[in-house]
Amino acid sequence: GIAVIFNAPIGGFLYMLEEVTVGAWAPELTLRAFICTALACLFNRALLNLCGTRVTEFLIFISGDRSTIYWDWQDLPCVVLLAALLGAFSALYTQALAGMWSFRKRL
C-alpha cells in the first residue's frame, strides 16, 4: 500500500524489509515481496493512466491561494482533544497487541 500510494516500489520494499525484520522472515519471500510490490506500483500506474489522473491529485495539501484557509485559537481545544483521544486509543491498541503477542507466545 505504501509503495502504491507514493509510486515508489523500492521505498515500499525497504519499508517492508524494515517491518518484517522484527519477526521471522523466510529469505525466499524477499524476492517475491519485491516483485509483488513492483507489480502493484505498475498496476497502479496503469489504472491512473486509464482514468486520466495523476498521483499528485491524491496528495493532501492545498496549493494556490491560502488566504481563505485559516485557523483560529478556538480550533486549538478540538485539536488537543483529538490528539489526546488518538493517543489514548494508540496506547490501548499497543497494549492489546502486546497482550496478544504474549498470549500467542504461550500457545
Side-chain angles (χ1 to χ4, degrees), residues 2-105:
I2 298 290
V4 172
I5 289 172
F6 294 109
N7 199 25
I10 304 297
F13 178 70
L14 292 175
Y15 177 76
M16 181 263 321
L17 282 179
E18 177 185 337
E19 291 297 318
V20 299
T21 53
V22 175
W25 180 259
E28 61 269 5
L29 292 178
T30 304
L31 181 63
R32 292 178 189 163
F34 177 71
I35 290 171
C36 289
T37 303
L39 287 176
C41 286
L42 289 173
F43 186 70
N44 179 48
R45 174 64 70 172
L47 283 177
L48 288 174
N49 287 340
L50 185 66
C51 296
T53 59
R54 295 176 307 197
V55 174
T56 56
E57 293 179 20
F58 297 107
L59 295 177
I60 304 172
F61 68 91
I62 298 168
S63 61
D65 185 24
R66 294 178 183 249
S67 63
T68 59
I69 300 170
Y70 62 93
W71 67 275
D72 199 63
W73 288 104
Q74 65 188 7
D75 297 330
L76 193 59
C78 292
V79 172
V80 169
L81 180 65
L82 181 62
L85 286 173
L86 289 175
F89 284 131
S90 176
L92 289 172
Y93 179 71
T94 303
Q95 285 181 345
L97 283 180
M100 183 59 71
W101 184 65
S102 64
F103 173 74
R104 290 184 66 200
K105 209 171 180 186

